Structures are given as C-alpha cells and as structure tokens.
Amino acid sequence: MPASHTALPTKERILGAAEELFARHGFEGASLRQLTAAAGVNLAAVNYHFGSKDRLIEEVFRRRLDQLSSRRMAALQKVAGEPDTTIEEVLAAFIVPALELSHDGNGSLFMRVLARAFAEHDDTLRKFLSDNYGHVMRQFTAEFARLLPHLSKEELYWRVDLVTGALTHAMSGFGMIQRKSDVTEHVHREQTAQHLIRFAAAGLKSP
Amino acid sequence: MPASHTALPTKERILGAAEELFARHGFEGASLRQLTAAAGVNLAAVNYHFGSKDRLIEEVFRRRLDQLSSRRMAALQKVAGEPDTTIEEVLAAFIVPALELSHDGNGSLFMRVLARAFAEHDDTLRKFLSDNYGHVMRQFTAEFARLLPHLSKEELYWRVDLVTGALTHAMSGFGMIQRKSDVTEHVHREQTAQHLIRFAAAGLKSP
DNA sequence: GTTCAAATCAAACGATCGTTTGAGCATACG
DNA sequence: CGTATGCTCAAACGATCGTTTGATTTGAAC
C-alpha cells in the first residue's frame, strides 16, 4: 500500500518518471536505475508492479493513448459522415485533443515519446500501437477519403502519412515553443491549432 | 593495411554496418559487438579507427551529410535569387538530392538514422548537426522568405519546420514503399519527388 | 494482539556494455 | 636480413544493464 505522506502511489510515480526519461533518453537509453531514482522508489518496484521494462513502456503509452484516442474518436464522430463536414473540422478532431494533452502536465513530454516510437522502427512496439490504436487512424483516413473522393487510394495514404509525420514532429517540439507573455495559454493553443490545421489542410487539398 | 581479399577496407565496413544497425536499433541500442560482428572486423577496430563510439556516430553522419548538403546547396544556388524562381524549384533542390541518396545503396537506411537524430533531442548530437550543417537550412529558409514575403518570420519558421518534419518522416520510410514492377526506378523516384513537392508547396503557400 | 497479504527494501545474479591492453601479424623501407 | 609501422586479434578491464531473491516492513482484518 502507498505510504500516506507521498502525493502519488508508487505506480503513478514510476509512470511519470518513465515518461520523462523515455522522452529525454529513449527507451534503451533510460535505465531502470535512473528511472526509479528519479521516481524515489526502489529499483525492484518496476518489476514488481509492471513485470518488466517492456511492459512498463507499454503502460506509458496506454495511460496517455487511451485518453487521447477516445477524445479523438469522440471529436471525429461529431463530424464524420455529415454532408457539410470540412477537412479543417476533421483535422481539428485529430489535432486539438493532442494539443490539450501537450498542455496538460507532462503531456508534452509524452508527445516526444510518441515521436520516438515513430522514429524507432521497432516491430514489437509498432505492432502494439497498431493493434491497440490502429482503428483511430483508419477511421480518420476513411473520413478523409470521403471528403477527398478525387484522390486515389495511394495518393490519399501518401498525404495522410505526410500529415501525421508533420504533426507528430511539430507536437514533439511544443515544449520548446515559448508562449508570448501577452497571450493566454488558451489563446496560444488556439493559434497553434490554426497553424497546424491550415498547413495540413492545404497539403491534403492540393490538386 | 586492408587484406586484399576483402572488398572494402575496415573503416568502410564499420561505417556501413554502423549505418544499418543505428537505423534498426538506435545509437544506444546498437552495441559495438553486434556492429563489429556484422562488419566482420575485430571489436577493438572501432576504437582504433574512430577513437570512440560517439566519434563513429559523427562519422556516420559526416559521410552522408557532406555529400547531401553540398548537392542541396549546389541545386539551390541554381535558382536562389532569380526573379522567376518558384517554391517548387526550391523544394526540389531540397528533396531530390535526398531521394537520390535514398536510392543509392544503403542510403535509405541513413534517412532512418537521420529521422532518429530528429526524434532524439540529444543536445550533443543537435549541436554537432547544427554546427556542421545548419547553414544549409538557413540558406533554404532565406530563399523561402524571399518567395513568401507576406509571411511573418514566426509563420515562416513554423511552416519550414512542418515541411522538414514531414519530409524527414516520409523519407525515413522509403525503404518500405514498394516500387511497382511496371515503373523504372527513375520514374518511381520522379513520382515520389512530385508527391512530396506538391504536398510541401501547398502547405508553404497556404494563405 | 495475531495473522496475513501487499509492498518495499538491500543485495546479488549473470549478461552485456564501451574501452583498453599487449602480444602477434603483415607489409614497406633501410 | 633487420626493423620500423600499420593493423588485427583475443582477452580482460570496470561499469552498468534488467531481473530475481529473500528478508523486512506495512496496514488492514479478525
């Protein structure tokens, strides 16, 4: 049981420290000794609570992606299939939940972890992400296909891949983009979303 | 001196194996023992020829980026500053040399190494890349600024960052995109370049 | 107060890491 | 031939890795 003087239970503290160290040093670069020291827990706690380092990595993804995916799906359902839906609305359903995550606690660190997972062409990790969250990408692609009926299947996949690459890259760097002190965080997030949506929409719609 | 029956000298064999293993397993994930075994050389050869693993990593970048950067700069010089230059021409100067590299031997593996370097926010590596090859990015950005005078500095940086993110992501996956058997490699490369250029140009030019 | 399971702990496991050493081999030059 | 010189090699260095163990502590149930 968790000690009462600690703010968070051991499991949560490990997940938080893991997210930060995986973002900064990669999955292989961050050791369990650094990680447990940063979390203020015993070395053996990782294997006790998660079973192994690989399962801890999966839990780091699960904790954030469960929420992110369901928010994206919920936002998509509001516009999917409607007769007057715009590309920009679908992109907003994809981007805004990720931006909300980026501005919530250590969420921006998680976007860096996600960008690493993209760059690592690790088969095990890709299969885990595809099995558990692939349906989200398929739903969005299907909606883009409906709104861009003149594009061939091949052309559509190309553009969706380029959009996700650009957005993942951009959002993994959000921690560094300084918000000007004369705009509120909410306004800043709104402006960022507009940047990304305009750019991605132009790329998708290009003739 | 190299043994006469081996096709390549030890240094080249190490660089080739390093490129492949860094692409597949990352800089920390690929060990010198895997690496030297794959190259068919002795473990100590890395430290003898390169001094350390970190210096080997730098050499892997240097071998490809020296060529890539000079080709990009040469292509840019042909259109920079001219009165009738188009965005598409500047993007071609950036993209085509990278595509040529991707289709040359293990070049596509190097693009994956480069994508990893983007994802790793490692300060040492970023400084090395910025110090040695940052002038290329600055030249291209300056030319984009000339062709897109209505964009604010901030807006321009945003879009250039999104373009490089999308392109690096896309090109790191080229090894997997299957060329249809009824098109020659040259035609395939041409088609790929047109995909990327159209997408990026639309994003840059969006109002 | 006793019991019992969950949680934490220090310590050690074998494996692997990057790096170094010193002997041995090859070729080129005197 | 003798001898430098460039290179390769097996072996070992200390450090660190993920994981496991067994004892100890904790807190609630009875």
Side-chain angles (χ1 to χ4, degrees):
Chain A
M1 269 145 210
S4 58
H5 70 280
T6 54
L8 293 171
T10 299
K11 243 178 144 172
E12 291 300 320
R13 299 219 265 149
I14 292 174
L15 285 170
E19 188 168 65
E20 171 150 358
L21 287 170
F22 289 157
R24 291 197 205 289
H25 306 295
F27 304 114
E28 309 211 49
S31 75
L32 293 185
R33 284 171 176 81
Q34 297 176 309
L35 203 155
T36 50
V41 304
N42 187 270
L43 167 61
V46 170
N47 282 276
Y48 177 79
H49 286 285
F50 297 94
S52 68
K53 185 180 183 179
D54 283 336
R55 301 255 296 278
L56 168 62
I57 293 174
E58 290 190 0
E59 283 305 311
V60 168
F61 281 101
R62 205 185 298 276
R63 183 173 67 142
R64 301 286 189 183
L65 285 184
D66 281 353
Q67 188 190 59
L68 178 60
S69 292
S70 62
R71 288 193 186 181
R72 278 175 166 167
M73 289 296 270
L76 177 61
Q77 296 309 331
K78 288 184 184 167
V79 297
E82 299 296 324
D84 58 346
T85 303
T86 64
I87 294 279
E88 282 80 1
E89 288 173 323
V90 180
L91 284 168
F94 188 80
I95 290 170
V96 171
L99 277 178
E100 287 169 356
L101 177 63
S102 287
H103 288 269
D104 159 42
N106 281 9
S108 71
L109 286 173
F110 175 72
M111 293 307 294
R112 283 172 59 181
V113 176
L114 203 54
R116 277 187 186 274
F118 264 70
E120 319 228 359
H121 287 231
D122 179 276
D123 286 339
T124 306
L125 190 52
R126 283 176 100 82
K127 178 164 168 35
F128 168 78
L129 293 175
S130 171
D131 286 350
N132 290 279
Y133 308 100
H135 67 284
V136 179
M137 218 52 234
R138 282 189 289 274
Q139 284 277 114
F140 273 91
T141 303
E143 186 63 15
F144 284 130
R146 184 178 75 91
L147 299 178
L148 300 164
H150 59 289
L151 293 184
S152 69
K153 205 168 206 176
E154 188 196 355
E155 179 80 44
L156 180 71
Y157 284 156
W158 258 105
R159 298 194 186 187
V160 171
D161 189 50
L162 287 164
V163 165
T164 53
L167 297 183
T168 306
H169 170 80
M171 294 199 267
S172 76
F174 277 170
M176 314 186 173
I177 294 174
Q178 292 298 336
R179 168 172 61 89
K180 301 243 177 71
S181 56
D182 58 348
V183 296
T184 67
E185 182 152 318
H186 175 267
V187 171
H188 178 247
R189 197 187 315 167
E190 197 79 23
Q191 289 175 346
T192 303
Q194 287 311 312
H195 276 289
L196 298 181
I197 291 171
R198 255 206 309 269
F199 178 88
L204 284 175
K205 291 195 280 194
S206 95
Chain B
M1 263 152 209
S4 58
H5 70 280
T6 55
L8 293 170
T10 299
K11 241 178 147 174
E12 292 299 321
R13 299 219 266 149
I14 291 174
L15 285 170
E19 189 169 63
E20 171 151 0
L21 287 170
F22 288 157
R24 291 199 203 289
H25 306 296
F27 304 114
E28 309 210 48
S31 75
L32 294 185
R33 283 171 177 81
Q34 297 175 309
L35 202 155
T36 51
V41 304
N42 187 271
L43 168 63
V46 170
N47 281 277
Y48 178 80
H49 286 284
F50 297 95
S52 70
K53 186 181 183 179
D54 283 336
R55 300 255 295 279
L56 168 62
I57 293 174
E58 291 189 0
E59 283 306 311
V60 167
F61 281 100
R62 206 185 298 276
R63 183 174 66 142
R64 301 287 190 183
L65 285 184
D66 281 353
Q67 187 190 58
L68 178 60
S69 291
S70 62
R71 288 193 186 181
R72 277 176 166 168
M73 289 295 271
L76 178 61
Q77 296 310 330
K78 288 183 184 166
V79 297
E82 299 296 325
D84 58 345
T85 303
T86 64
I87 294 279
E88 282 81 359
E89 288 173 324
V90 180
L91 283 169
F94 189 79
I95 289 170
V96 171
L99 277 178
E100 287 170 356
L101 177 62
S102 287
H103 288 269
D104 159 42
N106 280 9
S108 72
L109 286 173
F110 175 73
M111 293 308 291
R112 284 171 58 179
V113 177
L114 204 54
R116 277 188 186 272
F118 263 70
E120 319 230 356
H121 288 229
D122 179 278
D123 287 340
T124 307
L125 190 53
R126 284 176 98 83
K127 180 166 167 34
F128 168 78
L129 293 175
S130 170
D131 287 350
N132 290 278
Y133 307 101
H135 66 286
V136 179
M137 218 51 233
R138 283 190 288 274
Q139 284 277 113
F140 273 91
T141 302
E143 185 62 14
F144 284 130
R146 183 177 76 90
L147 300 178
L148 300 164
H150 59 289
L151 292 184
S152 69
K153 205 169 210 175
E154 187 196 354
E155 179 79 43
L156 179 71
Y157 284 154
W158 256 106
R159 298 195 185 186
V160 170
D161 190 49
L162 287 165
V163 165
T164 53
L167 297 183
T168 306
H169 169 80
M171 294 200 266
S172 76
F174 276 170
M176 317 190 172
I177 293 174
Q178 292 297 337
R179 169 171 61 91
K180 301 242 177 72
S181 56
D182 58 346
V183 296
T184 67
E185 181 151 318
H186 176 264
V187 170
H188 179 247
R189 197 188 313 167
E190 198 79 23
Q191 288 174 346
T192 303
Q194 287 311 313
H195 276 290
L196 299 181
I197 291 170
R198 253 206 309 272
F199 179 88
L204 284 175
K205 290 195 280 193
S206 93

